Amino acid sequence: MPVVSNAELSSRRQEILEGARRCFAEHGYEGATVRRLEEAVGKSRGAIFHHFGDKEHLFLALAREDATRMAEVVAQHGLVDVMRDMLAHPERYDWFFTRLEITTMLRTDPAFRTRWQEHQSVLDKAVRERLEHNAALGRMRDDVPIDVLHLYLETVLDGFISRLAAGEKQERLESMLDLVEESIRLNTACNP
């Protein structure tokens, strides 16, 4: 059997992730059957699951990859800019609409919830650090604990994804994001 280089293995893994991303975007988590994954990826189930074990681990690898990418944007610009990027480049996030489907699994499957949270921890950490950094610079409202602001932004993200998936007009979502930014800044904390 020929030896495959690490670069080739990495390339195959990335091809699988990209095909799976398209499949999950088109069919959702439940609809992304093994057969559909094979078609989207262009590889056998053996090749796919050699790299990822099963469908859930493949999905979680995508979640981790996107959480890492989003965390990089958050570190520089904040979570609202991630949402703005979703508006500007929906093709990068179309598979993310499966998050709506995932909500049920998070509620009903404690083991999946734990694995999902582990994969999302990089994004959570980046959001918290960004909030703490802005608070230290006096840019954030100080009448609300960082934990609550963090929860608020995560809740907005969930609702934003839901509205985006439902076809909400971009202009309305942009205006809503302006309001979210204003609501967490220090200079608007005391205004009604």
Side-chain angles (χ1 to χ4, degrees):
M1 188 157 203
V3 176
V4 180
S5 72
N6 285 339
E8 180 63 25
L9 286 174
S10 179
S11 176
R12 287 180 188 173
R13 182 178 167 85
Q14 197 56 44
E15 287 174 17
I16 292 168
L17 286 171
E18 290 309 313
R21 185 184 311 278
R22 289 188 306 273
C23 188
F24 285 124
E26 184 177 347
H27 301 289
Y29 182 83
E30 291 299 325
T33 62
V34 173
R35 184 184 54 75
R36 285 180 171 156
L37 285 166
E38 287 175 314
E39 290 170 6
V41 170
K43 298 194 183 314
S44 70
R45 71 184 61 209
I48 295 168
F49 298 131
H50 167 76
H51 290 278
F52 296 99
D54 59 23
K55 181 171 108 171
E56 181 179 306
H57 284 94
L58 174 58
F59 182 82
L60 289 171
L62 283 171
R64 174 80 175 184
E65 186 176 85
D66 281 5
T68 300
R69 185 181 43 171
M70 291 166 60
E72 291 169 4
V73 174
V74 167
Q76 296 297 314
H77 307 286
L79 188 59
V80 172
D81 271 18
V82 169
M83 291 181 261
R84 290 188 194 285
D85 193 50
M86 287 179 180
L87 286 175
H89 304 285
E91 71 282 358
R92 293 182 193 166
Y93 299 95
D94 54 359
W95 84 275
F96 210 60
F97 297 144
T98 59
R99 186 173 176 128
L100 304 174
E101 235 180 304
I102 297 309
T103 302
T104 301
M105 293 170 63
L106 293 173
R107 184 176 50 81
T108 60
D109 185 342
F112 179 82
R113 182 182 328 114
T114 298
R115 289 186 295 276
W116 174 264
Q117 289 169 342
E118 288 169 4
H119 283 77
Q120 294 298 299
S121 65
V122 65
L123 179 58
D124 289 339
K125 181 178 183 235
V127 171
R128 175 173 297 288
E129 287 175 356
R130 176 74 179 182
L131 289 170
E132 289 170 350
H133 174 75
N134 282 339
L137 294 175
R139 295 180 186 161
M140 304 291 299
R141 55 188 302 167
D142 56 8
D143 62 328
V144 179
I146 296 290
D147 287 347
V148 175
L149 290 174
H150 188 185
L151 177 61
Y152 169 65
L153 288 172
E154 286 181 340
T155 303
V156 168
L157 176 63
D158 288 341
F160 175 84
I161 291 169
S162 176
R163 294 298 226 166
L164 190 59
E168 184 67 55
K169 292 182 180 177
Q170 184 168 345
E171 303 80 33
R172 287 174 41 100
L173 290 171
E174 287 171 355
S175 295
M176 186 271 306
L177 292 176
D178 291 340
L179 179 62
V180 170
E181 277 188 322
E182 291 172 15
S183 71
I184 61 174
R185 289 188 186 136
L186 181 63
N187 62 357
T188 61
C190 298
N191 294 338

